[in-house]
Amino acid sequence: MKLLIFLALLGLFLAFLYWRLRPYIAAARRMLGFVRDIRGMSGTAERGGYANGARESSEKLVRCQSCGTWTPAARAVALRGPSYYCSHACLERAAEGSRPRAAGRNRR
């Protein structure tokens, strides 16, 4: 019976200790996770790889004809010839700007 009471008190003491130290334990886990991520990034950079599935830096970039933003060629909207746009919105803006004006509109 004494052993059971002793174990119960020990369990309560450990639970209270954990409860009080929980913020510090969480901070230490975040810090160690950060260090692990940094070591992982430097390890993949030394091998020439990229962390988190990032693309290689040798991927071709193209410049948007409308806004001038550089975009990876795989994500760009391409037209016939060397015309590339970063999005469909830029393509539509460029198309609206190149339309001839109607004959009935005022010219300044």
Side-chain angles (χ1 to χ4, degrees), residues 79-90:
L79 296 179
R80 281 182 248 144
S83 298
Y84 293 97
Y85 296 92
C86 62
S87 65
H88 289 285
C90 273

Side-chain angles (χ1 to χ4, degrees), residues 22-106:
R22 190 174 47 140
Y24 303 107
I25 294 170
R29 289 185 70 189
R30 282 194 303 269
M31 189 170 45
L32 290 175
F34 177 74
V35 169
R36 181 182 37 203
D37 290 344
I38 294 297
R39 291 182 78 195
M41 282 185 215
S42 65
T44 55
E46 290 171 0
R47 293 189 304 265
Y50 295 89
N52 300 329
R55 294 186 176 121
E56 292 185 19
S57 63
S58 64
E59 183 177 359
K60 182 180 175 186
L61 294 176
V62 293
R63 190 173 184 141
C64 177
Q65 296 293 321
S66 178
C67 66
T69 303
W70 288 95
T71 308
R75 290 183 47 199
V77 178
L79 296 179
R80 281 182 248 144
S83 298
Y84 293 97
Y85 296 92
C86 62
S87 65
H88 289 285
C90 273
L91 176 61
E92 290 173 6
R93 259 186 266 136
E96 288 174 2
S98 66
R99 288 183 187 159
R101 290 185 172 189
R105 292 192 178 175
N106 294 336

Side-chain angles (χ1 to χ4, degrees), residues 7-21:
L7 290 177
L9 287 175
L10 182 64
L12 286 173
F13 175 74
L14 291 176
F16 177 75
L17 186 65
Y18 172 74
W19 183 262
R20 297 294 290 174
L21 295 178

